[in-house]
Amino acid sequence: MENPNSAVEVLIHSANSLFILMGAVMVLAMHAGFAFLEVGTVRLKNQVNALSKIIADFAVSTLAYFFIGYWVAYGVTFMQPADQLIAENGYSLVKFFFLLTFAAAIPAIISGGIAERARFGPQLCATLLIVAFIYPFFEGLMWNGNFGLQAWLEATFGAPFHDFAGSVVVHGMGGWLALGAVLLLGRRNGRYRDGRLVAFAPSNIPFLALGSWILIVGWFGFNVMSAQTLEGVSGLVAINSLMAMVGGTAVAWLVGRNDPGFLHNGPLAGLVAVCAGSDVMHPVGALATGVVAGALFVWSFTAAQNKWKVDDVLGVWPLHGLCGVWGGLACGIFGQQALGGLGGISILSQLVGSVLGILVALLGGFLIYGVLKATVGIRLSQEEEFNGADLSIHRIGALSHD
């Protein structure tokens, strides 16, 4: 008779592998959300390019993370016989798949900021370098304890930096990397005239809304399944994600004065912000986190476009960069037992980790896009931009006719 303990172990490993595989597939589906959010926001002549960038970036991200990035972050390589890779029902492989979908979100985030004027090839080169080196370096610091930073934070401030599902590690990094790229690219031609903003209306609100909904649904895999095992699953993470999402939606609707762009990005702002502390906050704290994030997004997006004249097409720096950092800090606030949280959080560690994320991303973004700009160029010509990225790069439009 088979050893009962062995059978139970096999069942546990199988269940955990299936669980994290489901999470990986849900986050993979979010990339369709990134694609359609961008497709709906850009002008018609750039829709094909938006779709092409997301899927090409994912392919490059997979290669970069499989061969280099995962090793940089976790010291794990897959260059070994397949019979060794399938240990514990291949859990290490599906864990890689799950974490890859997080890594690939970085270029998907950047894509929305640089839309309508970025060259295709150089952006794929940037994706390769970011996912192979920049993102895994910070990921390894915060999620694998590399270089002793987390141990130092715990010894100094009483707790390590806490980012359960990536408010700072994923979204903050993506948003601040994108800011460097956006500033180096410059504004779209005709976006500002005599110092005043010229409206470039979204091409397709239904596609924009579809992208938002795909992201919202997938986010519950992003957050809940960050536990990475069935044993670690918490209904608290699910409800906190829900509360932050509706908080961001409600406030973006009110502050944004019924604007559908703000309304459909509001829930994403709340979800970005709650990632870090979704496992330690009280649901009311998560609601407050989402409320602040929704207002922060509307205000910062408006200020960036009108006052600071930062031409970030989808507002990825306000949405992911600023709301991501707010999420890191909110975890330190609402994770405290005094505010109904589970505790074990240090606001000072959250501050240090969040600021470090900004610095790594900004330096990485300016370095990579700066070198590419100086060597091969990162922007379409004025004529190519006027004709649109679809015809200039892909030789076909979204609504081509015979």
Side-chain angles (χ1 to χ4, degrees):
M1 181 178 178
E2 187 177 359
N3 187 330
N5 290 332
S6 177
V8 169
E9 278 189 20
V10 170
L11 182 61
I12 291 173
H13 292 320
S14 298
N16 285 335
S17 296
L18 178 60
F19 171 75
I20 199 170
L21 175 61
M22 291 172 62
V25 171
M26 288 183 72
V27 185
L28 173 62
M30 290 176 70
H31 288 262
F34 284 120
F36 278 96
L37 190 69
E38 184 174 339
V39 166
T41 305
V42 299
R43 289 170 290 178
L44 182 62
K45 61 184 179 180
N46 297 293
Q47 287 186 335
V48 172
N49 180 243
L51 293 168
S52 301
K53 278 190 298 179
I54 299 298
I55 195 165
D57 274 336
F58 190 88
V60 172
S61 296
T62 300
L63 296 174
Y65 200 62
F66 183 85
F67 288 106
I68 304 172
Y70 197 68
W71 173 78
V72 171
Y74 300 101
V76 174
T77 176
F78 298 108
M79 297 298 102
Q80 51 191 287
D83 61 352
Q84 296 178 30
L85 296 177
I86 62 171
E88 297 183 351
N89 298 90
Y91 178 81
S92 62
L93 295 176
V94 288
K95 180 181 178 180
F96 158 79
F97 184 8
F98 181 67
L99 291 173
L100 159 69
T101 58
F102 282 53
I106 303 292
I109 290 167
I110 295 170
S111 175
I114 64 175
E116 301 202 340
R117 76 273 202 205
R119 293 179 60 203
F120 196 62
Q123 170 54 21
L124 293 180
C125 291
T127 293
L128 175 67
L129 295 170
I130 287 168
V131 178
F133 301 106
I134 306 298
Y135 169 73
F137 169 74
F138 189 69
E139 178 189 18
L141 283 180
M142 298 309 183
W143 282 350
N144 197 47
N146 293 355
F147 302 108
L149 176 65
Q150 288 284 42
W152 178 82
L153 289 172
E154 184 171 10
T156 306
F157 302 118
F161 176 73
H162 186 89
D163 192 351
F164 181 69
S167 286
V168 177
V169 174
V170 178
H171 298 285
M173 284 290 291
W176 288 91
L177 278 161
L179 178 61
V182 166
L183 293 176
L184 286 169
L185 264 175
R187 306 161 191 155
R188 286 169 290 175
N189 292 321
R191 182 58 166 158
Y192 296 91
R193 196 167 299 153
D194 299 325
R196 302 188 64 177
L197 180 71
V198 176
F200 286 178
S203 59
N204 194 310
I205 296 297
F207 276 169
L208 187 159
L210 174 63
S212 176
W213 272 109
I214 293 171
L215 286 166
I216 288 168
V217 173
W219 223 296
F220 287 86
F222 198 99
N223 283 5
V224 175
M225 292 174 176
S226 284
Q228 299 188 22
T229 63
L230 276 172
E231 183 182 5
V233 172
S234 170
L236 183 65
V237 176
I239 295 304
N240 282 346
S241 300
L242 177 67
M243 296 300 284
M245 185 269 284
V246 298
T249 304
V251 171
W253 162 55
L254 291 170
V255 179
R257 301 179 181 179
N258 300 322
D259 183 289
F262 287 139
L263 178 59
H264 286 92
N265 276 283
L268 308 183
L271 285 163
V272 164
V274 82
C275 285
S278 56
D279 62 326
V280 294
M281 292 179 180
H282 186 278
V284 175
L287 177 63
T289 298
V291 164
V292 172
L296 176 62
F297 171 71
V298 175
W299 173 80
S300 57
F301 179 85
T302 304
Q305 298 287 335
N306 290 282
K307 294 182 181 179
W308 307 327
K309 296 180 174 56
V310 177
D311 191 14
D312 177 351
V313 181
L314 266 68
V316 298
W317 173 61
L319 181 66
H320 298 274
L322 294 180
C323 290
V325 169
W326 158 241
L329 300 177
C331 174
I333 298 169
F334 296 110
Q336 302 292 338
Q337 288 183 325
L339 293 177
L342 297 181
I345 306 296
S346 164
I347 184 62
L348 291 176
S349 289
Q350 296 304 114
L351 177 61
V352 171
S354 298
V355 170
L356 184 59
I358 293 173
L359 292 176
V360 171
L362 274 179
L363 289 172
F366 277 111
L367 175 64
I368 288 174
Y369 285 97
V371 169
L372 287 171
K373 181 178 181 179
T375 53
V376 298
I378 56 176
R379 181 161 180 158
L380 296 175
S381 69
Q382 188 169 352
E383 181 181 359
E384 289 171 331
E385 186 180 337
F386 177 80
N387 292 332
D390 292 358
L391 293 179
S392 298
I393 298 173
H394 308 286
R395 309 298 184 217
I396 191 169
L399 300 176
S400 61
H401 302 285
D402 294 333

